[in-house]
Amino acid sequence: MKYSNQTRMLVAVDCIIFGFDGTDYKILLIQRGFAPEKEKWSLMGGFVQMDETLDEAAKRILNQLTGLHDVYMDQMSAFSQPLRDPIERVIAVPYVSLIDIEKYSKQINNDFHAKWFSIREIPKLIFDHGDMVELALQQLRYKAALHPILFELLPEKFTLPQLQTMYEGLYDIKLDKRNFTRKLLSSNLLHKENDKDKSSSKKGAYYYSLNEDFYTRNLSNILPIVSKSDISLAAE
Amino acid sequence: MKYSNQTRMLVAVDCIIFGFDGTDYKILLIQRGFAPEKEKWSLMGGFVQMDETLDEAAKRILNQLTGLHDVYMDQMSAFSQPLRDPIERVIAVPYVSLIDIEKYSKQINNDFHAKWFSIREIPKLIFDHGDMVELALQQLRYKAALHPILFELLPEKFTLPQLQTMYEGLYDIKLDKRNFTRKLLSSNLLHKENDKDKSSSKKGAYYYSLNEDFYTRNLSNILPIVSKSDISLAAE
DNA sequence: TTTTTAAATGTTTTTTTTACACTAATCAAA
DNA sequence: TTTGATTAGTGTAAAAAAAACATTTAAAAA
């Protein structure tokens, strides 16, 4: 038994995968392997199967491309223009993932011709994927100002200057080093390690790691790291 | 031409309609008119048609029930458990609407047996609608702490005590009257009228109205009205 | 005119945020 | 081995924002 006189449609999940290489924000794109728009740059996507939730579909698709499990994923609003896909009606649900770029395994992606692009040089994307990415970045800026989600982009050990560069890069601002480190250190999120990263200075910067417990408990709490006066949040 | 070997599914929109009667938060529910779960309490919903976006579907369905146009609507994350609807696979996209309860026209809804329930006394709902409502309330608390969206619940003219009651009710807290009014008045959101509402006191409380321009420009800005220390935001 | 009820209002204290500049560690070059 | 170059690390004072707190005012009813 089915609901009668209703039209069914495809539901797709598209993965917006952000990374940070220490200097720049990157997005992982693939060359679409099938018509239409074959070979054009695109988000990694796939159709939701009959026995899986949207979250499960997104995890499956992300894993297929990156080999990663247990990744930060956040569902965005659905894209539903009737003609957004010229082949047939497809409702697309984008997911934003933040990954440690170093954990991404290159070998696994060969099928998809995946490539990291700086978010300042994103190529033209198929369908409405460009809009998705733009909205995703807007929402990332919004959320990251209120919640410590950017840590998902970093390796296990990171330095305070790296952290600051990451925040400055997202909003294209300069922050005061003393105020920034004070805020971070007083947040209880960080644990100081004993060794230093000497790759970017002679003096070397101490490594820190995430206080995982505290982090998990406080992801949903509001913890302003960049303040209202530092940035202008375009939208939610 | 279609994508081959893919399964298509129904996509539904469900409307979570909140109102505020001056004292309590209310939700508008209907008695479902068809099987399964006929006559059970439910959110007003409907299937997305082939030629409409999700937003359009949500507007259509909300208008069908309430007669209202131009209502605040906010798309939530999709609900996608494969078996959430026992009849067949349906992906549900809930929309939260905030309406001025007085504008809702009773005559239009007779078909649906709609009824306002206090959010403290929500009946058992079909499928996963109960979860949707719970999440919607959580998100309403989150958003309302950061953006002046609760004004959507009020009539054109309202008083400061009404406004305070509305915020206190959402978080189940008491706020300091002096600090609250100072914050609101300094926000530039309000315009003082010359007349008073004498329905709830002898002295009467001055009416205020929304500075629409300023409001529209600042909806997406962060404007904390209740502060972190007043509330504990469960989640985002 | 007195009583009752809810509305309106200001100041002080505390906390948070901002602005601002020098010293420390290490490597490389002279 | 000394000097210079480079980035890391750190504290304090001023300003702004938030919190705590109690009395007066308007108007109707008694």
Side-chain angles (χ1 to χ4, degrees), chain A residues 49-108:
Chain A
Q49 302 300 302
M50 224 37 185
D51 59 349
E52 65 184 1
T53 63
L54 286 162
D55 284 9
E56 286 160 0
K59 276 180 199 156
R60 170 174 59 77
I61 289 159
L62 183 82
N63 176 260
Q64 209 181 340
L65 179 65
T66 65
L68 297 176
H69 291 283
D70 300 321
V71 169
Y72 173 95
M73 300 195 90
D74 190 33
Q75 188 186 131
M76 291 174 53
S77 285
F79 280 63
S80 59
Q81 287 295 336
L83 302 175
R84 55 174 294 285
D85 186 319
I87 296 292
E88 67 171 295
R89 182 82 197 261
V90 182
I91 303 277
V93 179
Y95 276 78
V96 175
S97 295
L98 304 178
I99 72 173
D100 170 6
I101 214 164
E102 295 300 327
K103 282 201 188 138
Y104 157 74
S105 18
K106 247 198 169 106
Q107 50 277 41
I108 215 164

Side-chain angles (χ1 to χ4, degrees), chain B residues 148-159 163 166-167 184 187-193 207-219 223 225:
Chain B
I149 54 175
L150 294 191
F151 288 96
E152 302 288 343
L153 295 167
L154 293 173
E156 291 233 338
K157 294 189 341 184
F158 48 85
T159 66
L163 209 50
M166 185 169 68
Y167 277 93
L184 266 293
S187 75
N188 275 339
L189 280 167
L190 302 187
H191 175 256
K192 190 174 187 174
E193 302 288 330
Y207 278 118
Y208 286 80
S209 58
L210 248 194
N211 178 343
E212 287 289 348
D213 272 23
F214 191 84
Y215 172 69
T216 312
R217 276 183 285 121
N218 287 277
L219 241 189
L223 173 75
I225 290 175

